[in-house]
Amino acid sequence: MSSVRLLLRIGVRAVLESKPDWAVVAEASDGQQAIEKAKEFRPDIAILDYSSPGTNGLDAVREIVKNLPDTKVLMLTIYDSDTLIEEMQQAGAHGCLRKADASRDLICAIETLLQQKRFYPLGVTTVSHRGSRTGDQKPLPSLTARQKEIVRLLVQGRTGKEVAATLGISAKTVEVHRNNIHLRTNCHTMAQLVRYAIRNGIIVA
């Protein structure tokens, strides 16, 4: 087994075990073993390495989602290119996360999947999965002028209270806008929100 993959597994397990109400029921060293363990333990979430040895990550996802429709699959990868994300979506994965971001965003990603939502980096705005057609997906709505103002302040590192004071609105109103921004942009982390703001000309990198 690759020492890098072993370290990744140790790190992922440590993050997961920091949540007292979560339990790691099994670990696998390759794609085929991941399929077998998933069928045996039927977990709520299966975390797979895109580059796993033996049966590759995409084939493992297809096998798991085919046999375990209630298990959500999160894939870990080095990159988050549009093409790669589309491949994962088409294979049936419910989300993906860069390995470099796992220590920071893994819990958020899993909580998103547990809420029956999908977790993907920015770049792909439609989801291709079994039973759905890309043409049926609605494009993400654009932000309002006020929401763009709030995004600019948030990516500068301002807190909700600071945003409220700057714009002369209540903290509760800021929180409502933040929730709507998350829904409209599909951003689940500050890093994703920054990328969104740059790509859409809200801020200049």
Side-chain angles (χ1 to χ4, degrees):
M1 182 196 308
S2 166
S3 58
V4 174
R5 289 194 179 93
L6 176 59
L7 289 173
L8 175 64
R9 280 171 51 192
I10 292 173
V12 167
R13 186 180 189 111
V15 172
L16 297 176
E17 290 180 338
S18 70
K19 295 282 289 184
D21 53 338
W22 292 358
V24 178
V25 296
E27 293 184 39
S29 58
D30 58 47
Q32 184 57 43
Q33 193 177 82
I35 295 170
E36 295 168 358
K37 294 288 187 181
K39 290 180 178 179
E40 179 182 357
F41 292 96
R42 308 182 74 84
D44 296 314
I45 304 290
I47 303 173
L48 302 181
D49 187 344
Y50 176 84
S51 58
S52 62
T55 301
N56 69 49
L58 293 179
D59 287 341
V61 171
R62 294 185 185 99
E63 187 70 16
I64 290 173
V65 298
K66 180 178 72 175
N67 291 280
L68 303 169
D70 293 330
T71 296
K72 307 301 181 186
V73 179
L74 177 69
M75 297 205 72
L76 300 182
T77 179
I78 298 176
Y79 306 107
D80 62 355
S81 70
D82 289 1
T83 300
L84 189 62
I85 294 171
E86 287 175 347
E87 287 180 353
M88 294 181 196
Q89 291 176 325
Q90 290 167 3
H94 301 83
C96 72
L97 182 63
R98 288 198 321 135
K99 294 177 183 179
D101 298 332
S103 61
R104 182 190 64 206
D105 296 335
L106 182 59
I107 289 177
C108 177
I110 292 177
E111 287 177 338
T112 300
L113 266 59
L114 290 174
Q115 295 170 11
Q116 308 303 313
K117 299 177 183 179
R118 292 176 178 260
F119 187 97
Y120 283 101
L122 287 177
V124 177
T125 58
T126 59
V127 179
S128 304
H129 56 88
R130 294 179 304 153
S132 294
R133 293 171 295 171
T134 302
D136 292 337
Q137 301 297 324
K138 296 180 180 179
L140 292 174
S142 59
L143 298 183
T144 66
R146 173 64 83 183
Q147 288 167 346
K148 289 179 181 179
E149 286 182 310
I150 292 174
V151 167
R152 291 189 191 98
L153 294 171
L154 290 175
V155 299
Q156 291 172 9
R158 306 285 186 89
T159 65
K161 289 183 179 180
E162 290 172 338
V163 172
T166 300
L167 298 179
I169 57 180
S170 70
K172 184 175 181 180
T173 299
V174 172
E175 188 60 30
V176 170
H177 279 304
R178 288 183 67 166
N179 289 335
N180 287 331
I181 288 167
H182 289 315
L183 291 173
R184 285 170 177 259
T185 64
N186 197 29
C187 293
H188 304 283
T189 67
M190 183 56 67
Q192 290 177 344
L193 190 60
V194 170
R195 290 199 294 269
Y196 176 91
I198 293 173
R199 289 174 180 176
N200 290 274
I202 298 174
I203 62 172
V204 179

